[in-house]
Amino acid sequence: MVISHYLELYLCFVSQHLKKILEYRLSFFIGIIPFILLQLLPIIIIWAIFKKVPHIAGFNFNEVLFIYGLGIICYAFGRMLFSNLNDFGYQYIIKGGLDTVLIKPINPLFYIVASDFSEKEIGELLVGIILIIKSIIGLEIHPGILEFFALLYFLINGIIIYGSINLIAVIICFWTKDPRGLTSPIMRIQEFSQYPVTIYGKAVRFIITWIIPFAFITFFPAVFFIRREEFGGYILCLPLIGIIFPLIAYLLWLKGLSKYESSGT
Amino acid sequence: MMDVYVEFAKKSFQRLLAYRMSMVFRLCGFLVSLFVVYYLWKAIFTTSSVIEGYSFKMMITYLILSFAINALYDLPAEHELADKIIQGEIAMDLTKPIDLQRIFFAQSVGISINQLITYNIAFLIVTAFLFKIEPPCSMIGFVFFIISLLVGFIIMTAIGFITGTICFWTRDAWGIFFVKTALLIFFSGALIPLHFLPKWLENIAMILPFHGIIYTPISIYLGTISDYGVINLLLNQTIGAILLISLGKMLWYVGIKKVVIQGG
């Protein structure tokens, strides 16, 4: 079976990486502290703001925390799993590293994504989980087994959407030949999705919902937990987005690959 | 003798010109972040039109100026200093008859002037078109704003020099810079006017020197402080700057005694 073969390979990559981390345990723990620190700053700001105002666009402190926390978790996971894409433009296209990948007997995209992951985001994940728990207690939601699986599904779907957007942003490099290119402006748009989308104007809302669908990673799933009745239609669109975007990304990838010419080094 | 330092400033200025395209992308990135906070504060200000003495327009002006100042103070010079210390290349500089703290300052000036011309002016023009910005509270207020900004620059550079110098002890730059950045972003008031923080946090922030980099100059620009308070703040800033420069000098002299050169 192809899938089980790839799964086995992936576990292999992961275990290699874990061994590396365990070798340098102390520096790993020291290394995640600054990330936790930096992630806490906006939360302190949100907390300070809510000392002055009771709600933002009808969302109270705990609800905003839930959206923010879910965002942290999805994006931290996304950055962990797709960390190799950051360097993609420079390492693989400009320097021609793609050559060595193409001669391997596995799917090149799988190899690039799977062969590396980043562990620095574990601290952020922790912050996100604590935020979610705090807001669930504050909102007096009593999650059952259904909610647990829904959350799990939303997370996986969110990570897939994140990866697709990241991939699309990166493979534009096949055409522009600019290593960093549009990646950072596009990925930065995720900042919009860390707050309730209702605070934005129509244009921004449209972009983060349908063009670069970051809102489907954070806001719409979060809203499912905190106010089920609103935005129900969007939640129904969620699985569709989670299928269409990876498909677009993969087709673009294949197209980009056919454009690829080795740098000759 | 001064020529040497001017030359260093010029070199740092020229080196950055090579990255014009990344400047444009950086500008786009900043604009995205600015739009996020713009909408966030717009929603916050629907509940009341004045919060803690700030109107919505003042808040947006605060944030735009904060973004602009922040971008101005992107100092590659401190990473270079840290690298030199960690890799031991600093030994070469120690043999030359130059003051490395002054060189550091000169390089930072060169980089910041470059940023100002290539990036900040573009940023301010674009944002002036996109958003309604409050003008300075008064002519004299604007003059004090510029003075405060310059002292803030000295504070920023002095802190950069200290963080670089600490690498004599840590032998690792990454963590120390990260912590510095986090402290700086928070306690300088880059994300929110410090007045919006709970009282005890505001007090801590006003004791630390970071507020002199962003919060103090912008508060003077907006005129949220009384005239008496302005003089007080400028004095506070100046003393902070002198203390930080002295601290940097001290650490430097202790540090170079410790210098370990690996191989070479």
Side-chain angles (χ1 to χ4, degrees):
Chain A
M1 261 310 278
V2 178
I3 293 176
S4 69
H5 173 62
Y6 275 89
L7 208 64
E8 207 177 300
L9 265 174
Y10 193 74
L11 290 176
C12 220
F13 281 126
V14 171
S15 75
Q16 282 306 321
H17 196 87
L18 285 179
K19 276 182 208 156
K20 210 161 62 186
I21 299 171
L22 289 175
E23 194 69 26
Y24 302 100
R25 250 161 304 178
L26 187 67
S27 73
F28 164 69
F29 283 115
I30 294 170
I32 64 172
I33 292 170
F35 284 92
I36 296 179
L37 214 64
L38 215 56
Q39 198 54 258
L40 284 176
L41 298 182
I43 297 158
I44 298 173
I45 303 289
I46 294 172
W47 170 73
I49 289 171
F50 273 103
K51 293 239 160 209
K52 314 283 177 199
V53 294
H55 63 85
I56 297 175
F59 287 83
N60 66 32
F61 180 51
N62 282 310
E63 289 169 329
V64 171
L65 272 196
F66 192 98
I67 298 166
Y68 203 91
L70 190 64
I72 292 179
I73 295 176
C74 284
Y75 295 134
F77 253 126
R79 280 200 303 276
M80 277 173 90
L81 299 178
F82 299 101
S83 69
N84 218 12
L85 289 181
N86 286 332
D87 234 10
F88 180 78
Y90 183 68
Q91 284 295 340
Y92 291 91
I93 298 183
I94 306 295
K95 279 179 78 179
L98 203 52
D99 293 353
T100 56
V101 180
L102 289 176
I103 54 170
K104 288 186 169 60
I106 51 173
N107 185 313
L109 184 60
F110 169 81
Y111 178 83
I112 289 165
V113 172
S115 62
D116 193 17
F117 81 83
S118 157
E119 72 286 344
K120 296 189 293 289
E121 285 80 7
I122 288 175
E124 290 171 58
L125 275 183
L126 263 169
V127 173
I129 291 167
I130 291 169
L131 283 190
I132 295 272
I133 293 172
K134 202 241 157 249
S135 67
I136 284 177
I137 296 169
L139 290 167
E140 290 171 8
I141 301 171
H142 301 288
I145 194 83
L146 176 77
E147 279 84 357
F148 177 77
F149 279 108
L151 190 62
L152 201 66
Y153 168 70
F154 288 148
L155 264 175
I156 294 168
N157 204 52
I159 293 164
I160 290 172
I161 297 172
Y162 176 90
S164 314
I165 298 172
N166 199 351
L167 185 62
I168 292 171
V170 162
I171 52 186
I172 293 175
C173 185
F174 274 120
W175 287 273
T176 60
K177 301 273 192 256
D178 177 14
R180 280 252 152 231
L182 288 166
T183 327
S184 82
I186 289 178
M187 296 320 280
R188 215 160 174 159
I189 289 176
Q190 77 187 49
E191 287 179 26
F192 279 110
S193 68
Q194 292 179 312
Y195 301 99
V197 297
T198 45
I199 68 174
Y200 303 115
K202 278 209 180 69
V204 173
R205 264 174 86 164
F206 183 79
I207 291 171
I208 60 171
T209 306
W210 301 116
I211 313 246
I212 310 174
F214 282 120
F216 280 104
I217 302 176
T218 57
F219 180 69
F220 295 124
V223 137
F224 174 81
F225 286 92
I226 54 192
R227 318 174 165 202
R228 284 152 195 266
E229 65 284 2
E230 290 175 51
F231 306 99
Y234 289 99
I235 293 165
L236 291 178
C237 291
L238 202 84
L240 268 176
I241 298 282
I243 293 167
I244 291 171
F245 267 80
L247 226 93
I248 296 174
Y250 195 71
L251 289 175
L252 265 175
W253 158 258
L254 291 179
K255 220 168 159 55
L257 211 54
S258 68
K259 278 255 341 171
Y260 172 72
E261 27 189 66
S262 173
S263 68
T265 46
Chain B
M1 189 60 204
M2 213 51 215
D3 296 359
V4 180
Y5 301 111
V6 173
E7 215 41 54
F8 266 100
K10 265 197 209 153
K11 275 279 161 312
S12 294
F13 175 90
Q14 286 160 350
R15 216 174 338 162
L16 271 180
L17 275 181
Y19 302 103
R20 254 163 300 180
M21 207 53 202
S22 70
M23 280 279 187
V24 174
F25 289 128
R26 211 168 133 233
L27 184 69
C28 293
F30 268 104
L31 283 178
V32 168
S33 299
L34 192 60
F35 265 107
V36 175
V37 289
Y38 168 83
Y39 281 113
L40 186 64
W41 283 103
K42 198 174 164 188
I44 292 165
F45 272 94
T46 51
T47 50
S48 62
S49 58
V50 177
I51 303 173
E52 295 287 322
Y54 277 76
S55 67
F56 176 55
K57 202 173 157 195
M58 280 164 82
M59 184 56 86
I60 293 308
T61 310
Y62 183 96
L63 292 165
I64 288 174
L65 287 176
S66 162
F67 271 67
I69 298 173
N70 229 334
L72 196 59
Y73 295 164
D74 186 16
L75 298 175
E78 57 190 32
H79 292 274
E80 210 172 292
L81 178 67
D83 280 350
K84 272 187 178 173
I85 290 174
I86 290 165
Q87 285 167 9
E89 285 167 36
I90 202 76
M92 287 305 292
D93 290 323
L94 289 175
T95 60
K96 292 172 196 153
I98 42 174
D99 180 340
L100 275 164
Q101 198 179 23
R102 280 190 208 165
I103 294 277
F104 183 82
F105 189 77
Q107 285 175 326
S108 304
V109 169
I111 292 161
S112 292
I113 291 175
N114 179 298
Q115 299 266 23
L116 191 71
I117 294 169
T118 55
Y119 173 79
N120 285 69
I121 291 174
F123 177 77
L124 287 174
I125 291 171
V126 171
T127 46
F129 269 110
L130 292 172
F131 305 99
K132 287 199 187 76
I133 304 176
E134 199 85 47
C137 62
S138 65
M139 201 55 218
I140 190 88
F142 187 70
V143 174
F144 280 133
F145 164 66
I146 299 291
I147 295 172
S148 176
L149 211 56
L150 290 174
V151 182
F153 177 77
I154 296 171
I155 293 176
M156 176 77 203
T157 319
I159 293 172
F161 186 75
I162 291 172
T163 19
T165 309
I166 290 176
C167 293
F168 275 125
W169 287 272
T170 60
R171 318 225 41 91
D172 168 56
W174 186 84
I176 195 87
F177 280 123
F178 218 116
V179 172
K180 188 208 85 171
T181 307
L183 286 174
L184 195 79
I185 290 175
F186 191 76
F187 286 112
S188 67
L191 301 172
I192 193 172
L194 294 174
H195 193 51
F196 273 67
L197 296 177
K199 199 75 202 145
W200 60 273
L201 254 178
E202 188 191 345
N203 288 338
I204 294 174
M206 292 312 280
I207 292 167
L208 295 169
F210 303 107
H211 69 86
I213 299 166
I214 288 178
Y215 179 62
T216 298
I218 303 180
S219 296
I220 294 172
Y221 176 95
L222 290 172
T224 52
I225 324 160
S226 63
D227 294 344
Y228 175 69
V230 170
I231 303 297
N232 225 345
L233 276 177
L234 282 175
L235 256 168
N236 181 323
Q237 258 188 309
T238 315
I239 294 169
I242 293 169
L243 284 178
L244 287 168
I245 291 173
S246 319
L247 180 64
K249 240 185 195 42
M250 225 172 66
L251 282 175
W252 178 256
Y253 283 117
V254 182
I256 51 176
K257 295 219 172 65
K258 259 194 64 86
V259 72
V260 185
I261 308 298
Q262 285 151 343

